DNA sequence: CCACCATACTCAAAAAAGTGAGTAGTCATA
DNA sequence: TATGACTACTCACTTTTTTGAGTATGGTGG
């Protein structure tokens, strides 16, 4: 159950409400741990019940009252304990790969459509991650930032996300090229 | 619900029993769709109920009787329909990345241990995938195989798996180097 | 002024995935 | 001769994830 640890890790830098956490997740943590807002609200409630985070209500004039959470000492200890335990292998879970596995038995044109869509999504994500990385390191070079920066965890996970999406993009393009060439060869021969 | 489509895709080439399917999954399909044997048995039963696969009992002398499944016409149609639908974005789900996200707040030594373990696993998988790819293409070059091979789906998904594990490996090594350098700088300064 | 989007959540339920144990025979290894 | 590993499954259970709604208010664009 790493969702709870992902939430703790996301709350390390800032005090956030469930709503803000959901946004932060979408932007950062979702690269390696996707979760829906409902899960986050539920998890925050459990974490508070277990004393790993504390919440406080913040009344706002124009917006509804929100509840901000921050990690407690017990929460930090829990994260540390988590790091000491063996990590499960990371899984890729990909609809598109299932389709490609069946490539020789399904319509190639439609498969190329799906791959093209995915390539575009992957491209957009790499650009987003590039921007995020530049924002995090400010005017420092990556080497310099990673050597002396204060908070490098999110930067390092963002690097993984970037490489992952570049991998997605490259694979889509390569697969599209292969499928097109085979279609052309079949049409020509 | 792509497990059912992953199972269909895995059964395209060969008639397999649940047990064999579990093995085949571990070796190939698990790269993009992990599932436990129990899930596969249950899914095969559902697929047969729905007419997307048919099973036949094979009595063996020394081994228990097994039930072999193959994809039906309806199963192929279902796969084709699946390919026509939009694919969901692929998610990375990684314990280790959660730990790295918290890198600045947890014990660096233990994190390096986890990363080292993962790097080794990733390395082993890249070697396995390399072997698998060579086996699939036989004595042909990759270009040649992808142009004229009969069954390229599994090859293409294996390429994705290879790149993914190489990405894992590179990221682990890079992250280890960064953490070590920071630790050294802290100890020295 | 009305639709729509953003904030800030909650609730219920279904579906999917994972955990743990058990059955039962065969074969190799020590 | 027992120990464990492999074939080939099944069953029960829990946890996790997803789906789909619903509440309530305030601001923005046309």
């Amino acid at each position: 159950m790493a969702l709870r640890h992902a939430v703790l890790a996301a709350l390390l830098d800032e005090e956030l409400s469930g709503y803000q956490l959901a946004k932060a997740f979408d932007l950062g943590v979702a690269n390696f741990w996707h979760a829906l807002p409902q899960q986050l609200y539920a998890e925050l409630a459990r974490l508070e019940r277990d004393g790993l985070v504390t919440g406080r209500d913040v009344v706002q004039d124009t917006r509804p009252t929100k509840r901000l959470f921050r990690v407690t000492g017990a929460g930090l200890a829990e994260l540390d304990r988590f790091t000491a335990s063996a990590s499960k292998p990371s899984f890729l879970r990909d609809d598109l790969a299932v389709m490609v596995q069946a490539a020789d038995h399904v319509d190639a044109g439609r498969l190329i459509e799906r791959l093209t869509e995915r390539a575009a999504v992957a491209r957009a994500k790499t650009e987003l991650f590039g921007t995020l990385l530049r924002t995090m390191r400010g005017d420092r070079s990556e080497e310099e930032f990673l050597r002396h920066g204060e908070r490098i965890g999110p930067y390092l996970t963002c690097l993984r996300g970037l490489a992952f999406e570049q991998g997605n993009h490259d694979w889509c393009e390569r697969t599209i090229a292969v499928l097109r060439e085979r279609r052309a060869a079949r049409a020509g021969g």
Side-chain angles (χ1 to χ4, degrees), chain A residues 8-107:
Chain A
L8 286 171
L11 283 174
L12 283 172
D13 307 290
E14 312 162 85
E15 203 178 19
L16 295 172
S17 67
Y19 189 83
Q20 292 171 301
L21 180 66
K23 303 237 147 190
F25 243 69
D26 267 0
L27 224 77
V29 181
N31 302 314
F32 52 90
W33 208 278
H34 170 80
L36 297 164
Q38 293 95 312
Q39 281 175 272
L40 299 177
Y41 284 114
E43 196 57 55
L44 282 170
R46 274 191 293 269
L47 284 166
E48 188 173 22
R49 187 200 60 198
D50 298 344
L52 306 184
V53 306
T54 42
R56 63 184 181 94
D57 284 326
V58 174
V59 182
Q60 301 173 109
D61 338 333
T62 69
R63 299 277 159 215
T65 295
K66 63 183 173 183
R67 193 164 176 78
L68 293 182
F69 296 92
R70 62 187 170 76
V71 180
T72 63
L76 273 176
E78 172 61 27
L79 257 183
D80 205 56
R81 193 159 46 248
F82 174 62
T83 310
S85 68
S87 70
K88 292 185 185 161
S90 71
F91 295 127
L92 202 52
R93 184 151 279 190
D94 192 347
D95 267 9
L96 189 53
V98 174
M99 296 176 187
V100 171
Q101 177 82 12
D104 308 281
H105 298 265
V106 298
D107 186 86

Side-chain angles (χ1 to χ4, degrees), chain A residues 104-140:
Chain A
D104 308 281
H105 298 265
V106 298
D107 186 86
R110 281 207 296 255
L111 202 46
I112 289 171
E113 277 177 46
R114 299 291 145 265
L115 286 159
T116 307
E117 289 159 11
R118 173 65 61 82
V121 170
R123 175 69 71 123
K125 284 203 177 178
T126 59
E127 275 159 28
L128 174 68
F129 290 153
T131 306
L132 266 159
L133 289 168
R134 273 192 298 279
T135 304
M136 280 191 264
R137 70 173 178 258
D139 49 7
R140 285 166 289 189

